[in-house]
């Protein structure tokens, strides 16, 4: 057990009056014990962050970049230790946990680079009209204020990194609230930040209980909220504070389209392998995991058996085993919810091609066909290792099927035709189109987010920095231009 009793209050370790246990979804063992901030300590953290706004904004770029470089270095040095921690508290197979640490390293590296070059402004001559003669406008970006970053459980390190790193790079203080199920990874970031020279009070990592969050969300000293999580919670936050600047990275039911030109045996083997892997990685607990396969009728009958075989070949078991590809869901209730959605679909007439079994918090990788359009599984984000397959006739029908969803995060399109790739980019109502692969690809420096019920705003370091800041114009007068 990791005896992690302290949280990080305004850059220093602190403990509250109560603790809670973090348990492994795989075997129920206690992984760590975390101290809970008192109301007074939360207030202290908010007040300190608010008071540090000018100091952090005025901190030279090289100092902020050096702090981010330090976190990059320390994450790299402690990769295996942190990966083991992620796997223990989250249930994520160790192979994926190691990959997550590597991604967090990249996020902090990108942020250090952006901190050094982030300017966000330009110069504009104003003498294009007579009244502007002798005047020049300079535009720079300044932080909107303290960021409240609320992170989910499914990527407990990397999605905390996506809140913290851009804020520091942009000079915005941040209060990070990690998920209650997986707070240990976020607290590790606090440990590494404490080794830097960032201004006092400019960051805190507070494992606050969910029921205590409305007061933080509504605090006027926290004008920016960056939330990653469920659609229901995200829009509740937005509705409760309509005048704040909100970024929501919410759910999806990612579609992988396989078109008729992607038809060789090698093509279909590749598509099936990628679909099987990325419908089940992280136990399907990724907002861009493959939930829907939409295949042209000309390839459907050859593709589906390949998908089923590839899904059945996924290694399910102990997340600490390097061979394991699919671990448990975050808890047994999550697995029971997935079970109930699959059972509902089967009762409504869906064909269960493989899987459909639960053991504790683990749900077997599952494939279904002919899922009725009005079932929960067809309409909502399953957030579990479940995949549906649908046959369509032609490109337009495939694109229509992708868009027939309240979500619009990312889509994958398997095609060799570059014209089709551009048509997909124009037609698909999503935040990202991945050609030749599944929707689950994400590079941490690219703009990432969705449309419709998948959220507002964009993550990706430079894009988040722009979101955390605003333009301020300076007009110089009496110049000889």
């Amino acid at each position: 057990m990791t005896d992690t009793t302290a949280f990080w209050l305004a850059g220093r370790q602190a403990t509250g009056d109560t603790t809670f246990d973090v348990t492994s979804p795989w075997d129920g063992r206690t992984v760590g014990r975390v101290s809970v901030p008192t109301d007074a300590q939360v207030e202290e953290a908010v007040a300190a962050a608010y008071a540090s706004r000018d100091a952090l904004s005025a901190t030279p770029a090289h100092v902020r970049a050096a702090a981010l470089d330090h976190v990059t270095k320390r994450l790299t040095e402690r990769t295996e230790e942190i990966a083991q921690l992620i796997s223990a508290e989250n249930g994520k197979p160790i192979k994926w946990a190691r990959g997550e640490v590597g991604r967090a390293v990249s996020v902090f590296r990108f942020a250090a680079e952006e901190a050094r070059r982030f300017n966000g402004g330009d110069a504009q001559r104003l003498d294009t009209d007579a009244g502007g003669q002798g005047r020049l406008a300079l535009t720079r970006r300044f932080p909107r204020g303290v960021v409240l970053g609320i992170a989910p459980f499914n990527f407990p390190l990397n999605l905390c990194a996506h809140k913290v790193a851009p804020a520091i790079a942009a000079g915005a203080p941040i209060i990070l609230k990690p998920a209650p199920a997986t707070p240990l990874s976020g607290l590790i970031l606090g440990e590494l930040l404490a080794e830097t020279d960032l201004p006092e009070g400019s960051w805190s990592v507070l494992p606050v209980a969910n029921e205590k969050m409305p007061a933080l969300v509504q605090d006027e000293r926290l004008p920016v909220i960056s939330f990653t999580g469920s659609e229901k919670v995200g829009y509740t936050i937005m509705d409760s504070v309509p005048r704040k600047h909100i970024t929501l990275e919410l759910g999806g039911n990612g579609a992988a389209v396989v078109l008729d030109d992607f038809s060789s045996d090698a093509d279909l083997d590749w598509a099936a392998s990628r679909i099987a892997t990325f419908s089940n990685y992280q136990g399907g607990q990724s907002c861009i995991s493959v939930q829907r396969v939409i295949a042209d009728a000309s390839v459907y009958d050859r593709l589906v058996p390949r998908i089923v075989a590839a899904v059945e070949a996924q290694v399910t078991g102990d997340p600490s085993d390097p061979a394991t590809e699919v671990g448990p869901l975050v808890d047994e209730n999550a697995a029971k919810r997935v079970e109930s959605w699959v059972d509902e679909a089967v009762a409504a007439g869906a064909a269960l091609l493989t899987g459909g079994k639960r053991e504790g918090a683990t749900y077997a990788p599952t494939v279904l066909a002919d899922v009725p359009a009005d079932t929960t599984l067809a309409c909502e984000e399953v957030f579990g290792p479940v995949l549906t397959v649908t046959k369509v006739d032609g490109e337009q029908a495939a694109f229509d099927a992708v868009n027939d969803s309240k979500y619009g995060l990312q889509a994958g399109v398997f095609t060799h035709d570059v014209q089709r790739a551009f048509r997909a980019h124009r037609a698909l109502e999503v935040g990202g189109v991945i050609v030749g692969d599944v929707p689950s690809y994400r590079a941490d420096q690219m703009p990432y987010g969705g449309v419709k019920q998948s959220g507002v705003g964009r993550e990706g370091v430079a894009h988040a920095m722009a979101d955390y800041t605003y333009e301020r114009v300076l007009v110089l007068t009496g110049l000889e231009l």
Side-chain angles (χ1 to χ4, degrees):
M1 183 181 86
T2 301
D3 188 18
T4 310
T5 57
F7 51 87
W8 295 92
L9 194 166
R12 69 178 192 279
Q13 284 189 308
T15 55
D17 297 333
T18 61
T19 62
F20 66 92
D21 288 344
V22 179
T23 58
S24 165
W26 170 246
D27 56 17
R29 65 188 170 89
T30 299
V31 179
R33 185 166 295 118
V34 176
S35 186
V36 179
T38 65
D39 292 346
Q41 288 171 321
V42 172
E43 166 58 28
E44 182 182 349
V46 173
Y50 188 77
S52 74
R53 291 170 300 150
D54 289 345
L56 184 59
S57 179
T59 298
H62 73 88
V63 175
R64 286 182 274 118
L68 294 162
D69 279 332
H70 177 80
V71 177
T72 302
K73 175 176 178 288
R74 297 289 285 134
L75 285 172
T76 302
E77 291 171 348
R78 297 175 63 179
T79 290
E80 186 60 25
E81 169 201 348
I82 297 172
Q84 295 287 347
L85 183 65
I86 292 171
S87 182
E89 70 171 341
N90 173 275
K92 180 174 300 192
I94 189 63
K95 64 178 288 185
W96 298 115
R98 289 170 179 148
E100 181 174 348
V101 180
R103 288 182 60 187
V105 167
S106 295
V107 169
F108 277 93
R109 187 182 79 249
F110 296 145
E113 295 167 355
E114 292 295 341
R116 291 185 172 95
R117 62 175 169 248
F118 185 68
N119 186 23
D122 58 17
Q124 183 178 12
R125 62 186 304 159
L126 302 179
D127 61 355
T128 51
D129 288 317
Q133 187 169 336
R135 298 177 188 266
L136 179 72
L138 296 176
T139 304
R140 295 166 61 196
R141 298 195 72 91
F142 292 87
R144 296 177 184 273
V146 183
V147 177
L148 174 59
I150 307 172
F153 68 82
N154 56 327
F155 289 86
L157 179 70
N158 196 42
L159 292 182
C160 285
H162 270 288
K163 309 302 181 190
V164 172
I168 292 171
I174 182 163
I175 292 176
L176 175 67
K177 190 267 188 194
T182 56
L184 303 176
S185 302
L187 292 171
I188 283 284
L189 283 184
E191 183 179 333
L192 304 184
L193 289 169
E195 299 169 355
T196 71
D197 295 324
L198 292 170
E200 181 179 352
S202 59
W203 59 271
S204 293
V205 183
L206 304 179
V208 179
N210 287 344
E211 57 268 23
K212 294 282 189 178
M213 285 306 294
L216 262 180
V217 165
Q218 293 166 20
D219 195 305
E220 293 183 357
R221 294 167 294 179
L222 309 176
V224 180
I225 298 175
S226 177
F227 171 85
T228 302
S230 72
E231 171 195 356
K232 178 180 178 181
V233 175
Y235 284 114
T236 297
I237 290 172
M238 176 173 278
D239 292 344
S240 71
V241 285
R243 291 177 177 82
K244 288 195 176 191
H245 187 81
I246 309 291
T247 297
L248 301 178
E249 199 280 281
L250 306 177
N253 54 2
V257 175
V258 184
L259 294 174
D260 58 359
D261 68 298
F262 210 83
S263 59
S264 71
D265 286 343
D267 286 341
L268 297 180
D269 287 344
W270 163 257
S273 172
R274 298 294 285 177
I275 288 166
T277 297
F278 289 97
S279 64
N280 295 293
Y281 85 127
Q282 327 287 340
Q285 297 170 123
S286 168
C287 49
I288 47 175
S289 66
V290 185
Q291 183 172 332
R292 299 182 291 155
V293 174
I294 299 164
D296 190 88
S298 65
V299 299
Y300 181 90
D301 289 339
R302 295 167 57 215
L303 175 65
V304 171
R306 286 174 160 87
I307 291 175
V308 171
V311 167
E312 291 177 342
Q314 296 288 301
V315 178
T316 303
D318 185 345
S320 67
D321 186 338
T324 297
E325 295 165 307
V326 186
L329 276 69
V330 69
D331 57 36
E332 188 169 356
N333 286 335
K336 287 180 177 178
R337 177 190 54 77
V338 172
E339 179 181 44
S340 70
W341 287 15
V342 172
D343 290 348
E344 176 202 23
V346 171
L352 180 65
L353 304 184
T354 191
K357 298 177 181 178
R358 180 182 66 83
E359 183 175 346
T362 300
Y363 196 78
T366 297
V367 182
L368 300 102
D370 305 317
V371 177
D374 59 349
T375 58
T376 308
L377 187 59
C379 301
E380 301 293 338
E381 178 184 36
V382 66
F383 223 61
V386 177
L387 178 68
T388 69
V389 292
T390 301
K391 183 190 299 185
V392 295
D393 288 312
E395 174 188 302
Q396 188 59 52
F399 293 169
D400 289 344
V402 174
N403 290 340
D404 186 19
S405 170
K406 68 178 182 178
Y407 298 111
L409 191 48
Q410 292 197 161
V413 180
F414 287 91
T415 182
H416 296 296
D417 188 333
V418 69
Q419 295 295 340
R420 278 184 157 172
F422 278 99
R423 288 197 296 270
H425 194 215
R426 178 178 293 277
L428 297 181
E429 299 166 352
V430 294
V433 178
I434 314 300
V435 175
D437 207 348
V438 291
S440 316
Y441 176 79
R442 176 183 180 181
D444 291 287
Q445 72 271 37
M446 76 182 193
Y448 176 76
V451 297
K452 299 193 281 191
Q453 300 301 300
S454 288
V456 294
R458 291 294 180 268
E459 290 187 343
V461 176
H463 310 279
M465 290 170 68
D467 220 27
Y468 293 166
T469 57
Y470 69 97
E471 289 182 321
R472 186 185 299 167
V473 177
L474 173 69
V475 176
L476 301 175
T477 304
L479 302 177
E480 294 182 10
L481 300 175

